[in-house]
Amino acid sequence: MSLLAAGATAPSVATQLAGSGLIGLREGLEAGIVVMILVAFLVKSERRDALKWVWLGVGTAVAMVAATFLIIHFGTSTLDGVAAEIAAGIASLVAVVIVTAMVLWMRKASRSISGDLKSGMEKALVVGPYAVLSLAFFAVGREGLETALLMVGYAENTAGSPWPLIGLLLGIVVAAVVTVLMYLGAIRINMATFFKYTGVALVVVAAGILGYGVRALQIGGVLPGATMPAFDVSGIYDAGSWYGTVLGGILNLRPDPTVLQFAAWAAYLVIVLFLFLRPSAPSRRSQPVQEPAAT
């Protein structure tokens, strides 16, 4: 029995597009900024000959991410019954762990990512082409794996709908366009503000995936308390209404969460948002992510 069949309502198309589009925009822009920094550094260093190795590394990373998503997604879709719930629950929890680690890491790394990438590229140019390829591969692949795992957890809650994938691709396209415009100097974005607010949104989405994963594992018999609701507001909460589909699709709020599910959801939001939003000490290595237009 799937979680949707257990009483949840499939999110609306607009909600699915918004949730996955946010993931694609945020993660796509992170990866785009990495590529932009590497390309701008090579152009300014008059090492355009190394650009082909950067693009080869990026292409390899994209292929690896796509394969990872397809293997995990179709692997879980071939299961049914209790096995499907357990697999979906485990995939959701793994996605939450990785996304949380990456969001918290980006909170600090964003201040020095430009300097770190330039330093890494200087060393890679000395070593040779394969070092340049590896630097681009791992820098982009890290962001891509986060996206793939987050999308697996998100897609599990949409009853096999294709709209989350469409929303993800649209978000990535928008991120690519914004990255190109930034590279050309046509627009400037306050990246600190962007990553702050999109980071908060991702934490909220991850909390919903965590709640889904806990409920799935309860239905699968791995975790206890499947029949212990924390509360039930089904009488006044219409899961099929516009607000019900929004809250159910993005926040994964149910009218009858279990005690463990609601506790995990609330605790995650409080703890991770506190860690993410708490003030951080300024770093001497801080450099703006925004790169000037290439010449």
Side-chain angles (χ1 to χ4, degrees), residues 178-230:
V178 172
T179 301
V180 171
L181 293 176
M182 290 173 59
Y183 179 78
L184 297 176
I187 61 173
R188 298 184 67 87
I189 296 177
N190 187 323
M191 300 310 299
T193 301
F194 173 83
F195 284 124
K196 177 180 178 180
Y197 287 107
T198 56
V200 170
L202 275 184
V203 170
V204 173
V205 170
I209 295 175
L210 174 63
Y212 170 85
V214 170
R215 184 64 173 252
L217 291 176
Q218 286 181 312
I219 295 174
V222 176
L223 294 177
T227 59
M228 296 175 57

Side-chain angles (χ1 to χ4, degrees), residues 42 47 86 100 132-133 135 139 143 146 151 158 174 179 186 188 194 211 216 266 269 287:
L42 291 176
R47 288 298 308 270
I86 295 175
T100 303
V132 176
L133 185 153
L135 176 63
E143 304 295 341
E146 177 186 356
M151 276 303 298
T158 55
V174 173
T179 301
R188 298 184 67 87
F194 173 83
L269 274 182
Q287 296 188 30

Side-chain angles (χ1 to χ4, degrees), residues 240-259:
S241 64
W242 67 268
Y243 65 84
T245 55
V246 170
L247 295 179
I250 298 179
L251 306 183
N252 200 38
L253 292 180
R254 295 170 49 92
D256 59 341
T258 65
V259 173

Side-chain angles (χ1 to χ4, degrees), residues 26-274:
R26 158 79 187 215
E27 303 303 322
L29 195 52
E30 282 188 20
I33 287 173
V34 168
V35 176
M36 179 182 70
I37 292 173
L38 295 178
V39 170
F41 177 79
L42 291 176
V43 170
K44 293 175 184 177
S45 302
E46 298 184 353
R47 288 298 308 270
R48 292 176 180 267
D49 58 295
L51 287 175
K52 60 183 179 182
W53 297 105
V54 170
W55 292 119
L56 183 58
V58 171
T60 305
V62 171
M64 180 268 295
V65 169
T68 301
F69 173 79
L70 292 175
I71 290 172
I72 297 176
H73 179 61
F74 287 112
T76 56
S77 65
T78 58
L79 303 174
D80 55 13
V82 174
E85 295 294 349
I86 295 175
I90 293 175
S92 298
L93 296 187
V94 170
V96 170
V97 170
I98 294 180
V99 170
T100 303
M102 292 301 295
V103 167
L104 295 179
W105 173 81
M106 192 63 185
R107 172 180 175 269
K108 295 182 179 180
S110 61
R111 294 175 295 164
S112 59
I113 189 172
S114 179
D116 291 341
L117 286 172
K118 290 176 182 177
S119 176
M121 181 56 74
E122 285 180 343
K123 298 175 182 177
L125 289 172
V126 174
V127 175
Y130 292 108
V132 176
L133 185 153
S134 298
L135 176 63
F137 173 81
F138 286 110
V140 174
R142 178 178 56 200
E143 304 295 341
L145 280 178
E146 177 186 356
T147 306
L149 290 170
L150 184 56
M151 276 303 298
V152 168
Y154 184 83
E156 291 292 346
N157 195 29
T158 55
S161 169
W163 292 109
L165 181 58
I166 295 174
L168 175 71
L169 295 177
L170 290 175
I172 292 175
V173 169
V174 173
V177 172
V178 172
T179 301
V180 171
L181 293 176
M182 290 173 59
Y183 179 78
L184 297 176
I187 61 173
R188 298 184 67 87
I189 296 177
N190 187 323
M191 300 310 299
T193 301
F194 173 83
F195 284 124
K196 177 180 178 180
Y197 287 107
T198 56
V200 170
L202 275 184
V203 170
V204 173
V205 170
I209 295 175
L210 174 63
Y212 170 85
V214 170
R215 184 64 173 252
L217 291 176
Q218 286 181 312
I219 295 174
V222 176
L223 294 177
T227 59
M228 296 175 57
F231 52 82
D232 188 348
V233 293
S234 302
I236 59 174
Y237 179 90
D238 184 4
S241 64
W242 67 268
Y243 65 84
T245 55
V246 170
L247 295 179
I250 298 179
L251 306 183
N252 200 38
L253 292 180
R254 295 170 49 92
D256 59 341
T258 65
V259 173
L260 182 59
Q261 181 185 18
F262 181 75
W265 179 83
Y268 177 88
L269 274 182
V270 172
I271 295 173
V272 178
L273 284 179
F274 169 77

